[in-house]
Protein backbone atom coordinates (compact mmCIF):
# COMPACT_ATOMS: atom_id res chain seq x y z
CA UNK A 1 0.00 0.00 0.00
CA UNK A 2 1.18 3.54 -0.76
CA UNK A 3 2.21 5.52 2.33
CA UNK A 4 -0.29 8.24 3.33
CA UNK A 5 0.75 11.66 1.99
CA UNK A 6 2.07 14.30 4.38
CA UNK A 7 -0.72 16.74 5.15
CA UNK A 8 0.02 20.31 4.15
CA UNK A 9 -1.73 22.87 6.37
CA UNK A 10 -2.61 26.19 4.72
CA UNK A 11 -4.21 29.18 6.40
CA UNK A 12 -3.62 31.88 3.76
CA UNK A 13 -6.29 31.94 1.02
CA UNK A 14 -3.76 32.99 -1.64
CA UNK A 15 -1.58 29.99 -0.73
CA UNK A 16 -4.60 27.71 -1.24
CA UNK A 17 -5.03 29.13 -4.76
CA UNK A 18 -1.36 28.43 -5.51
CA UNK A 19 -1.56 24.92 -3.99
CA UNK A 20 -4.57 24.16 -6.16
CA UNK A 21 -2.85 25.37 -9.35
CA UNK A 22 0.18 23.20 -8.54
CA UNK A 23 -1.82 20.03 -7.88
CA UNK A 24 -4.33 20.31 -10.70
CA UNK A 25 -1.60 19.09 -13.04
CA UNK A 26 -2.04 15.64 -11.45
CA UNK A 27 -5.75 15.47 -12.25
CA UNK A 28 -8.99 16.51 -10.53
CA UNK A 29 -8.93 17.98 -7.03
CA UNK A 30 -11.45 16.58 -4.54
CA UNK A 31 -12.62 18.82 -1.70
CA UNK A 32 -14.38 18.17 1.62
CA UNK A 33 -15.53 21.35 3.40
CA UNK A 34 -16.18 20.90 7.16
CA UNK A 35 -16.42 22.78 10.43
CA UNK A 36 -13.96 20.41 12.14
CA UNK A 37 -14.29 18.19 15.23
CA UNK A 38 -14.00 15.42 12.66
CA UNK A 39 -15.64 12.02 13.00
CA UNK A 40 -16.12 8.96 10.80
CA UNK A 41 -18.83 10.76 8.80
CA UNK A 42 -16.36 13.43 7.68
CA UNK A 43 -13.61 10.85 7.10
CA UNK A 44 -15.92 8.83 4.87
CA UNK A 45 -16.22 11.93 2.66
CA UNK A 46 -12.41 12.10 2.54
CA UNK A 47 -12.24 8.39 1.57
CA UNK A 48 -14.77 8.94 -1.21
CA UNK A 49 -12.83 11.95 -2.44
CA UNK A 50 -9.63 9.88 -2.37
CA UNK A 51 -11.18 7.15 -4.48
CA UNK A 52 -12.36 9.66 -7.09
CA UNK A 53 -9.47 12.17 -7.19
CA UNK A 54 -5.67 11.90 -7.03
CA UNK A 55 -5.45 14.99 -4.79
CA UNK A 56 -7.76 15.77 -1.87
CA UNK A 57 -8.20 18.90 0.24
CA UNK A 58 -10.35 19.38 3.31
CA UNK A 59 -11.25 22.68 4.96
CA UNK A 60 -12.01 23.45 8.57
CA UNK A 61 -13.82 26.71 8.99
CA UNK A 62 -16.42 27.36 11.67
CA UNK A 63 -18.59 29.63 9.60
CA UNK A 64 -20.06 32.43 11.74
CA UNK A 65 -22.57 33.29 8.98
CA UNK A 66 -24.44 30.01 9.42
CA UNK A 67 -24.97 30.19 13.19
CA UNK A 68 -28.12 31.88 14.45
CA UNK A 69 -27.29 31.43 18.11
CA UNK A 70 -23.99 33.06 19.17
CA UNK A 71 -23.74 30.57 22.08
CA UNK A 72 -23.91 27.66 19.62
CA UNK A 73 -21.04 29.25 17.64
CA UNK A 74 -19.03 29.78 20.82
CA UNK A 75 -19.58 26.21 22.05
CA UNK A 76 -18.90 24.56 18.69
CA UNK A 77 -16.04 22.06 19.35
CA UNK A 78 -12.62 23.08 17.98
CA UNK A 79 -9.63 20.72 17.93
CA UNK A 80 -7.42 21.45 14.97
CA UNK A 81 -4.38 19.32 15.92
CA UNK A 82 -6.41 16.15 16.39
CA UNK A 83 -8.36 16.85 13.18
CA UNK A 84 -5.10 17.32 11.23
CA UNK A 85 -3.87 13.97 12.52
CA UNK A 86 -7.08 12.22 11.41
CA UNK A 87 -6.93 13.85 7.99
CA UNK A 88 -3.35 12.80 7.46
CA UNK A 89 -4.25 9.21 8.39
CA UNK A 90 -7.18 9.33 5.95
CA UNK A 91 -4.82 10.29 3.11
CA UNK A 92 -5.86 13.92 2.76
CA UNK A 93 -3.20 16.10 1.08
CA UNK A 94 -4.13 19.58 2.22
CA UNK A 95 -6.02 21.13 5.12
CA UNK A 96 -7.25 24.65 4.47
CA UNK A 97 -7.90 26.25 7.85
CA UNK A 98 -8.27 29.99 7.24
CA UNK A 99 -8.85 32.63 9.90
CA UNK A 100 -12.26 34.29 9.83
CA UNK A 101 -10.64 37.63 8.94
CA UNK A 102 -8.88 36.14 5.91
CA UNK A 103 -12.10 34.70 4.48
CA UNK A 104 -14.13 37.86 5.03
CA UNK A 105 -11.49 40.45 3.99
CA UNK A 106 -12.80 42.45 1.01
CA UNK A 107 -15.89 40.29 0.87
CA UNK A 108 -19.51 41.36 1.05
CA UNK A 109 -21.88 38.39 1.43
CA UNK A 110 -24.28 38.10 -1.50
CA UNK A 111 -27.89 36.94 -1.63
CA UNK A 112 -28.35 33.77 -3.63
CA UNK A 113 -31.45 32.43 -5.36
CA UNK A 114 -32.03 29.20 -3.45
CA UNK A 115 -34.97 28.20 -5.65
CA UNK A 116 -37.35 28.10 -2.66
CA UNK A 117 -35.47 25.08 -1.28
CA UNK A 118 -35.02 26.95 2.03
CA UNK A 119 -38.77 27.56 2.45
CA UNK A 120 -39.26 24.64 4.85
CA UNK A 121 -37.45 22.70 7.58
CA UNK A 122 -34.09 24.25 8.51
CA UNK A 123 -34.93 27.44 6.58
CA UNK A 124 -37.57 28.93 8.92
CA UNK A 125 -35.88 27.44 12.03
CA UNK A 126 -32.53 29.05 11.18
CA UNK A 127 -33.10 32.33 9.27
CA UNK A 128 -30.12 33.25 7.08
CA UNK A 129 -28.44 29.88 7.67
CA UNK A 130 -28.42 28.66 4.07
CA UNK A 131 -27.39 32.04 2.64
CA UNK A 132 -24.48 31.85 5.11
CA UNK A 133 -23.61 28.32 3.99
CA UNK A 134 -23.70 29.17 0.27
CA UNK A 135 -21.65 32.34 0.75
CA UNK A 136 -18.89 30.53 2.61
CA UNK A 137 -18.88 27.47 0.34
CA UNK A 138 -18.52 29.86 -2.62
CA UNK A 139 -15.52 31.51 -0.87
CA UNK A 140 -13.92 28.14 -0.10
CA UNK A 141 -14.44 26.97 -3.71
CA UNK A 142 -12.96 30.27 -4.90
CA UNK A 143 -9.71 29.55 -3.03
CA UNK A 144 -9.42 25.76 -3.27
CA UNK A 145 -10.87 25.53 -6.82
CA UNK A 146 -11.95 21.90 -6.57
CA UNK A 147 -13.23 19.81 -9.46
CA UNK A 148 -15.38 17.66 -7.17
CA UNK A 149 -16.78 18.58 -3.75
CA UNK A 150 -18.15 15.94 -1.36
CA UNK A 151 -21.12 16.68 0.93
CA UNK A 152 -23.05 14.44 3.33
CA UNK A 153 -26.70 13.48 2.89
CA UNK A 154 -26.86 13.97 6.68
CA UNK A 155 -27.43 17.66 5.83
CA UNK A 156 -29.89 16.89 3.05
CA UNK A 157 -31.32 20.37 2.65
CA UNK A 158 -27.84 21.91 2.52
CA UNK A 159 -26.79 19.36 -0.11
CA UNK A 160 -29.91 19.97 -2.24
CA UNK A 161 -29.43 23.76 -2.03
CA UNK A 162 -25.75 23.54 -2.99
CA UNK A 163 -26.58 21.26 -5.94
CA UNK A 164 -29.19 23.79 -7.06
CA UNK A 165 -26.91 26.83 -6.76
CA UNK A 166 -23.94 25.06 -8.37
CA UNK A 167 -26.08 24.04 -11.33
CA UNK A 168 -27.85 27.41 -11.68
CA UNK A 169 -24.65 29.45 -11.51
CA UNK A 170 -22.69 26.88 -13.51
CA UNK A 171 -20.02 26.56 -10.86
CA UNK A 172 -17.24 24.45 -12.43
CA UNK A 173 -17.47 21.80 -9.73
CA UNK A 174 -19.37 18.53 -9.38
CA UNK A 175 -21.24 18.25 -6.07
CA UNK A 176 -21.03 14.62 -4.93
CA UNK A 177 -23.63 13.40 -2.37
CA UNK A 178 -22.36 10.87 0.21
CA UNK A 179 -24.55 8.64 2.42
CA UNK A 180 -25.00 9.37 6.14
CA UNK A 181 -22.63 7.51 8.45
CA UNK A 182 -24.37 6.23 11.60
CA UNK A 183 -23.36 4.72 14.92
CA UNK A 184 -24.31 1.05 15.39
CA UNK A 185 -27.55 2.10 17.13
CA UNK A 186 -28.55 4.32 14.18
CA UNK A 187 -27.67 7.76 15.55
CA UNK A 188 -26.22 9.87 12.73
CA UNK A 189 -22.66 10.89 13.58
CA UNK A 190 -22.38 14.60 14.33
CA UNK A 191 -19.78 16.85 15.96
CA UNK A 192 -22.58 18.02 18.25
CA UNK A 193 -23.11 14.49 19.68
CA UNK A 194 -20.07 15.09 21.90
CA UNK A 195 -22.14 17.46 24.01
CA UNK A 196 -24.74 14.78 24.89
CA UNK A 197 -24.61 13.09 28.31
CA UNK A 198 -24.64 9.24 28.22
CA UNK A 199 -28.42 9.25 28.91
CA UNK A 200 -29.08 11.91 26.27
CA UNK A 201 -26.90 10.00 23.81
CA UNK A 202 -29.15 6.97 24.23
CA UNK A 203 -32.33 9.04 24.01
CA UNK A 204 -31.04 10.67 20.81
CA UNK A 205 -31.56 7.40 18.88
CA UNK A 206 -35.27 8.33 18.87
CA UNK A 207 -34.68 10.48 15.77
CA UNK A 208 -33.52 7.50 13.72
CA UNK A 209 -36.22 5.25 15.18
CA UNK A 210 -38.88 7.78 14.13
CA UNK A 211 -37.44 8.00 10.61
CA UNK A 212 -37.45 4.22 10.33
CA UNK A 213 -41.09 4.04 11.45
CA UNK A 214 -41.90 6.50 8.68
CA UNK A 215 -39.88 4.55 6.11
CA UNK A 216 -41.91 1.43 6.92
CA UNK A 217 -45.11 3.22 5.82
CA UNK A 218 -43.60 4.99 2.83
CA UNK A 219 -45.43 4.52 -0.48
CA UNK A 220 -47.79 1.94 1.09
CA UNK A 221 -49.81 3.95 3.65
CA UNK A 222 -50.84 7.63 3.21
CA UNK A 223 -48.07 10.17 4.07
CA UNK A 224 -50.19 11.29 7.06
CA UNK A 225 -50.02 7.73 8.41
CA UNK A 226 -46.27 7.69 7.99
CA UNK A 227 -46.09 10.97 9.88
CA UNK A 228 -48.33 9.64 12.64
CA UNK A 229 -46.05 6.61 13.04
CA UNK A 230 -43.03 8.91 13.33
CA UNK A 231 -44.79 11.20 15.82
CA UNK A 232 -45.72 8.22 18.02
CA UNK A 233 -42.05 7.22 18.24
CA UNK A 234 -40.98 10.79 19.07
CA UNK A 235 -43.67 10.93 21.77
CA UNK A 236 -42.12 7.88 23.44
CA UNK A 237 -39.26 10.18 24.57
CA UNK A 238 -41.05 13.09 26.26
CA UNK A 239 -37.79 14.90 27.11
CA UNK A 240 -37.08 15.35 23.39
CA UNK A 241 -38.60 18.50 21.85
CA UNK A 242 -39.41 18.01 18.17
CA UNK A 243 -38.82 21.04 15.96
CA UNK A 244 -40.17 19.37 12.81
CA UNK A 245 -40.94 15.88 11.59
CA UNK A 246 -41.91 15.64 7.95
CA UNK A 247 -42.19 13.72 4.74
CA UNK A 248 -41.11 15.78 1.76
CA UNK A 249 -40.58 15.50 -1.96
CA UNK A 250 -37.08 14.18 -2.65
CA UNK A 251 -36.31 16.87 -5.24
CA UNK A 252 -38.16 20.02 -4.10
CA UNK A 253 -38.22 19.21 -0.35
CA UNK A 254 -41.82 20.51 -0.29
CA UNK A 255 -44.16 18.81 2.24
CA UNK A 256 -46.08 15.90 0.71
CA UNK A 257 -49.81 15.51 0.42
CA UNK A 258 -49.37 12.32 -1.50
CA UNK A 259 -46.37 10.20 -2.48
CA UNK A 260 -44.65 11.66 -5.55
CA UNK A 261 -44.84 9.76 -8.85
CA UNK A 262 -41.05 10.14 -9.08
CA UNK A 263 -40.75 7.64 -6.21
CA UNK A 264 -38.28 10.02 -4.55
CA UNK A 265 -39.23 11.19 -1.07
CA UNK A 266 -37.44 11.94 2.16
CA UNK A 267 -38.34 11.80 5.85
CA UNK A 268 -36.80 14.65 7.87
CA UNK A 269 -36.53 15.38 11.57
CA UNK A 270 -35.03 18.05 13.83
CA UNK A 271 -35.26 17.89 17.60
CA UNK A 272 -33.70 19.26 20.75
CA UNK A 273 -32.07 16.57 22.90
CA UNK A 274 -30.71 18.08 26.12
CA UNK A 275 -28.45 20.97 25.10
CA UNK A 276 -28.15 19.92 21.46
CA UNK A 277 -30.33 20.42 18.41
CA UNK A 278 -29.99 17.36 16.16
CA UNK A 279 -31.12 16.81 12.59
CA UNK A 280 -31.45 13.65 10.54
CA UNK A 281 -33.20 12.33 7.44
CA UNK A 282 -33.82 9.14 5.52
CA UNK A 283 -34.42 8.57 1.82
CA UNK A 284 -37.79 6.91 1.19
CA UNK A 285 -38.12 4.61 -1.78
CA UNK A 286 -40.89 2.55 -3.34
CA UNK A 287 -40.68 -1.08 -2.18
CA UNK A 288 -38.05 -0.32 0.47
P1 LIG B 1 -20.01 19.81 9.29
O1 LIG B 1 -18.63 19.77 9.78
O2 LIG B 1 -21.03 19.33 10.28
O3 LIG B 1 -20.37 21.13 8.64
O4 LIG B 1 -20.09 18.74 8.11
C1 LIG B 1 -19.18 18.78 7.04
C2 LIG B 1 -19.65 17.80 5.98
O5 LIG B 1 -19.69 16.49 6.56
C3 LIG B 1 -21.05 18.10 5.46
O6 LIG B 1 -21.09 17.81 4.07
C4 LIG B 1 -21.91 17.13 6.24
O7 LIG B 1 -23.11 16.79 5.58
C5 LIG B 1 -20.97 15.93 6.33
N1 LIG B 1 -21.35 15.07 7.44
C6 LIG B 1 -21.52 15.40 8.74
N2 LIG B 1 -21.93 14.34 9.45
C7 LIG B 1 -22.02 13.30 8.59
C8 LIG B 1 -22.40 11.92 8.70
N3 LIG B 1 -22.77 11.40 9.87
N4 LIG B 1 -22.39 11.16 7.59
C9 LIG B 1 -22.02 11.68 6.39
N5 LIG B 1 -21.65 12.97 6.21
C10 LIG B 1 -21.66 13.77 7.29
Amino acid sequence: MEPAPILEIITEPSHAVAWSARHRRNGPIGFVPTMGALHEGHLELVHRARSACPTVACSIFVNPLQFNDPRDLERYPRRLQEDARLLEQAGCHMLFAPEKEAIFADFTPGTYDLGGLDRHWEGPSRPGHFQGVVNVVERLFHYVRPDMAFFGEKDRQQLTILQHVAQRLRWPVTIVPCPTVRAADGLALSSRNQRLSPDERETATVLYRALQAMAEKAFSAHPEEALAAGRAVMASEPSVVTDYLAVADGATLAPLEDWPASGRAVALVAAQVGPVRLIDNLTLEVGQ
Side-chain angles (χ1 to χ4, degrees):
M1 220 171 68
E2 260 182 66
I6 305 286
L7 180 76
E8 200 172 326
I9 301 180
I10 293 180
T11 54
E12 269 303 309
S14 61
H15 294 177
V17 176
W19 176 92
S20 179
R22 248 188 352 263
H23 286 83
R24 173 148 311 95
R25 294 182 202 130
N26 302 333
I29 293 180
F31 182 41
V32 178
T34 81
M35 297 204 298
L38 303 181
H39 50 65
E40 278 304 319
H42 298 115
L43 297 177
E44 175 61 21
L45 304 191
V46 175
H47 294 312
R48 286 185 180 243
R50 278 279 281 169
S51 56
C53 304
T55 313
V56 171
C58 177
S59 64
I60 295 184
F61 182 68
V62 183
N63 172 17
L65 293 184
Q66 71 187 67
F67 283 81
N68 310 85
D69 178 354
R71 281 167 311 171
D72 192 24
L73 172 62
E74 201 179 296
R75 286 188 208 135
Y76 201 83
R78 289 165 173 88
R79 20 160 253 222
L80 198 65
Q81 289 310 314
E82 169 69 0
D83 287 345
R85 196 183 60 77
L86 292 171
L87 286 173
E88 187 159 88
Q89 271 176 5
C92 182
H93 299 82
M94 192 273 269
L95 166 58
F96 182 41
E99 293 293 335
K100 195 169 76 216
E101 292 70 24
I103 284 287
F104 293 123
D106 304 323
F107 170 65
T108 312
T111 303
Y112 286 85
D113 177 351
L114 306 183
L117 292 162
D118 61 336
R119 197 169 298 139
H120 304 286
W121 328 129
E122 292 301 288
S125 294
R126 307 180 70 184
H129 170 76
F130 289 118
Q131 290 292 344
V133 169
V134 175
N135 269 279
V136 165
V137 168
E138 188 279 333
R139 282 294 82 191
L140 295 169
F141 283 1
H142 178 76
Y143 296 123
V144 177
R145 313 205 169 174
D147 300 281
M148 298 173 90
F150 297 75
F151 290 89
E153 286 177 355
K154 156 80 166 49
D155 298 282
R156 168 79 62 146
Q157 199 170 6
Q158 166 176 289
L159 168 65
T160 308
I161 285 173
L162 286 169
Q163 285 174 314
H164 169 82
V165 174
Q167 193 181 30
R168 211 186 123 80
L169 299 183
R170 302 206 170 101
W171 285 354
V173 54
T174 305
I175 305 285
V176 184
C178 303
T180 302
V181 178
R182 300 178 178 282
D185 60 9
L187 180 68
L189 300 189
S190 162
S191 308
R192 290 188 166 88
N193 294 352
Q194 293 176 24
R195 289 175 43 215
L196 298 169
S197 71
D199 279 353
E200 289 161 353
R201 166 66 189 75
E202 208 171 309
T203 306
T205 60
V206 71
L207 276 77
Y208 183 61
R209 287 185 273 128
L211 293 174
Q212 275 187 312
M214 290 156 85
E216 272 167 31
K217 305 264 179 198
F219 293 96
S220 52
H222 191 269
E224 265 308 319
E225 259 185 74
L227 268 177
R231 283 195 198 110
V233 175
M234 293 305 286
S236 70
E237 297 285 5
S239 65
V240 174
V241 182
T242 305
D243 182 351
Y244 58 78
L245 180 77
V247 279
D249 183 273
T252 65
L253 301 184
L256 284 182
E257 279 167 22
D258 216 336
W259 300 109
S262 66
R264 286 184 60 209
V266 60
L268 301 137
V269 62
Q272 187 79 24
V273 182
V276 184
R277 184 175 180 278
L278 296 174
I279 61 171
D280 199 355
N281 70 85
L282 212 54
T283 300
L284 306 177
E285 280 162 354
V286 188
Q288 210 166 22

